[in-house]
Amino acid sequence: MVTLSSISSTRAVVSMFDAVPKTPQEIVALKRRWRESCRAWNIEQTGGFEAHYLELLAYRIECEAHSCVIKKSQAWDHEIKLLADRLGCSGNLRVAEYVLNIERALLRFEEPGLRLQSGR
């Protein structure tokens, strides 16, 4: 049987019901320290903030999702710039984006079951 004492023998486990709520200022300060430390730990597991576990978990997940969106956008921008250079139109990223979208659409037609129909 799993008990609270068997979960962590080296440190005291505080349940959410025993935890002391923090002030909004303390939570904001924790979030700022966490961001400034490059998110070096799971913020929701910060000692002393057990009463705010769900809020901090949601915050971490939101930050991670935002980072993924930014990385995807940066990858797309990088791909467009590389293609523009390859096409010889590095000053016109809209042309490169148009070409890339056409290339991707054509690749979808090459997948099984999506063959182009002959006009004959």
Side-chain angles (χ1 to χ4, degrees):
M1 179 174 181
V2 177
T3 64
L4 286 178
S5 61
S6 67
I7 293 173
S8 176
S9 59
T10 58
R11 60 185 167 135
V13 176
V14 177
S15 77
M16 289 175 57
F17 303 108
D18 298 331
V20 177
K22 299 292 185 179
T23 66
Q25 295 81 8
E26 290 172 310
I27 295 169
V28 168
L30 173 65
K31 289 176 180 179
R32 186 179 62 252
R33 282 194 319 271
W34 181 70
R35 283 192 316 271
E36 290 171 354
S37 71
C38 299
R39 305 173 186 170
W41 75 94
N42 290 340
I43 190 171
E44 72 275 8
Q45 295 177 350
T46 304
F49 286 83
E50 292 83 2
H52 304 280
Y53 178 84
L54 294 177
E55 174 188 353
L56 295 172
L57 175 62
Y59 179 73
R60 179 176 61 86
I61 291 170
E62 180 183 335
C63 289
E64 289 173 356
H66 182 70
S67 292
C68 287
V69 168
I70 289 172
K71 287 177 186 176
K72 185 175 180 179
S73 175
Q74 290 171 340
W76 174 259
D77 291 346
H78 181 69
E79 192 172 358
I80 294 295
K81 289 175 185 174
L82 289 176
L83 180 59
D85 290 342
R86 211 173 71 221
L87 293 172
C89 63
S90 57
N92 195 342
L93 299 180
R94 294 187 79 195
V95 168
E97 187 171 8
Y98 179 74
V99 170
L100 186 59
N101 283 327
I102 290 174
E103 285 179 351
R104 289 184 174 181
L106 290 173
L107 287 174
R108 282 195 305 269
F109 283 116
E110 292 177 4
E111 294 176 4
L114 293 176
R115 301 282 180 221
L116 289 172
Q117 297 287 327
S118 172
R120 297 180 197 200

